[in-house]
Amino acid sequence: MSNPQRARKVRRIVVFCATIFFPGITFVIGSIASQVNGTARLIYVIAGFITATLAAYFALHIKRKSNSAQLVEFGESLCAIMEHLAWLAENPADAAERMGRIRDKAVTLLATHVSPTARCAFYALESNGACFHRRGSSGNMKASETYLVDNGPGSDLLYMMQRKNVISIPDTHKTNGNPSFNLGDDYRTAIVAPVYAGEDAKGVLILDAPKVDDLADVHESLVRMFANILAVTQAATPAHYSTSIGEQKTTHPTTSSQSGESSPQSG
């Protein structure tokens, strides 16, 4: 299987060399053409035209190849996540480690596919709906691992989750009184998506970036797809970790060694 990181590096080197070569050779040909006359000048002018045309063609070709390669890389990464999900569907018991892999891979793939500067985190609704606990993240962030739903940012997350639709926040400093959220460090734009398995609330998916409108080109369907992946993953989580809003479930508590995950209190 190809190495995506190596392939990306090679493409960058090729593009860098091409951006130097074609303008350079066109400049040289133009300089020579200005110093000759007659047939020689015509030949150099034609050569310059051909070089410029090749530069445009090469740029278009590289862009198409790059887009194709990115789609292949994205598909390979998504396929790996789906393979984990398929395994989880047949082996729901004692699958906490597998679920952790899915969550980490999902938020990382979404963040890196959107932008090199984007971050992403999934906050699962836990403790009978009393708090959100981070169960997967990509990028450095100062946001708390746990938010209580009855105050501060936790209540904002609860409100946005209950809205049941993807909420885009172009500028976290100008929300006109509406709830806002980012993952710390004063990032200026964010997208929050509710994570539901049917009518069962599982948490929220948060994507943010440093500059205003950095996420303006992110399509809602892409975020919803990853929210659905996380919803399926969480649906396989032991019952005492998930709950619908306002619904108290009677469960028998288990230890972290039984579930494979620590409680929100212990992180």
Side-chain angles (χ1 to χ4, degrees):
M1 185 178 291
S2 61
N3 186 329
Q5 297 295 334
R6 183 177 180 182
R8 188 182 297 114
K9 184 178 181 179
V10 170
R11 289 199 304 272
R12 288 175 179 173
I13 292 174
V14 171
V15 171
F16 176 77
C17 293
T19 56
I20 295 176
F21 172 77
F22 282 108
I25 194 68
T26 302
F27 174 78
V28 171
I29 291 174
S31 298
I32 296 175
S34 65
Q35 299 175 15
V36 297
N37 296 306
T39 304
R41 171 174 287 186
L42 179 61
I43 292 174
Y44 279 112
V45 168
I46 294 174
F49 173 78
I50 293 174
T51 303
T53 303
L54 285 176
Y57 170 79
F58 186 80
L60 182 61
H61 179 71
I62 285 293
K63 183 177 180 180
R64 288 176 176 173
K65 290 283 288 184
S66 179
N67 290 341
S68 177
Q70 288 176 6
L71 286 175
V72 170
E73 292 171 15
F74 181 82
E76 289 178 348
S77 299
L78 187 59
C79 182
I81 293 174
M82 302 311 292
E83 287 173 352
H84 284 304
L85 276 175
W87 186 95
L88 194 61
E90 292 297 323
N91 303 273
D94 193 27
E97 181 181 354
R98 185 77 59 159
M99 290 186 288
R101 291 182 191 176
I102 295 172
R103 291 186 294 242
D104 286 338
K105 286 179 178 293
V107 297
T108 299
L109 179 58
L110 177 58
T112 55
H113 180 71
V114 166
S115 169
T117 60
R119 302 179 303 187
C120 190
F122 168 60
Y123 279 84
L125 184 66
E126 298 179 352
S127 300
N128 287 326
C131 73
F132 291 98
H133 188 76
R134 193 163 69 220
R135 293 291 183 187
S137 63
S138 174
N140 297 322
M141 58 191 68
K142 294 181 180 179
S144 172
E145 289 191 359
T146 303
Y147 290 105
L148 298 177
V149 301
D150 58 0
N151 62 71
S155 61
D156 287 342
L157 288 179
L158 180 64
Y159 169 78
M160 288 186 279
M161 185 180 68
Q162 289 176 324
R163 289 272 301 274
K164 293 188 176 183
N165 61 290
V166 177
I167 298 176
S168 178
I169 308 170
D171 186 351
T172 57
H173 289 185
K174 299 177 182 178
T175 59
N176 297 321
N178 295 316
S180 176
F181 196 91
N182 63 22
L183 297 169
D185 301 308
D186 201 30
Y187 273 34
R188 292 295 299 274
T189 188
I191 296 175
V192 181
V195 176
Y196 276 79
E199 293 299 317
D200 195 9
K202 297 298 182 181
V204 288
L205 176 62
I206 305 164
L207 182 69
D208 72 355
K211 299 179 181 179
V212 173
D213 286 330
D214 264 357
L215 304 178
D217 295 331
V218 178
H219 202 280
E220 178 181 319
S221 60
L222 177 67
V223 182
R224 287 174 56 199
M225 179 180 71
F226 281 92
N228 287 329
I229 289 174
L230 291 168
V232 173
T233 304
Q234 289 304 104
T237 305
H240 67 285
Y241 278 128
S242 62
T243 180
S244 296
I245 295 297
E247 176 186 357
Q248 296 294 323
K249 293 187 176 181
T250 303
T251 60
H252 298 287
T254 59
T255 63
S256 59
S257 60
Q258 290 173 313
S259 68
E261 298 189 63
S262 58
S263 67
Q265 287 78 16
S266 63

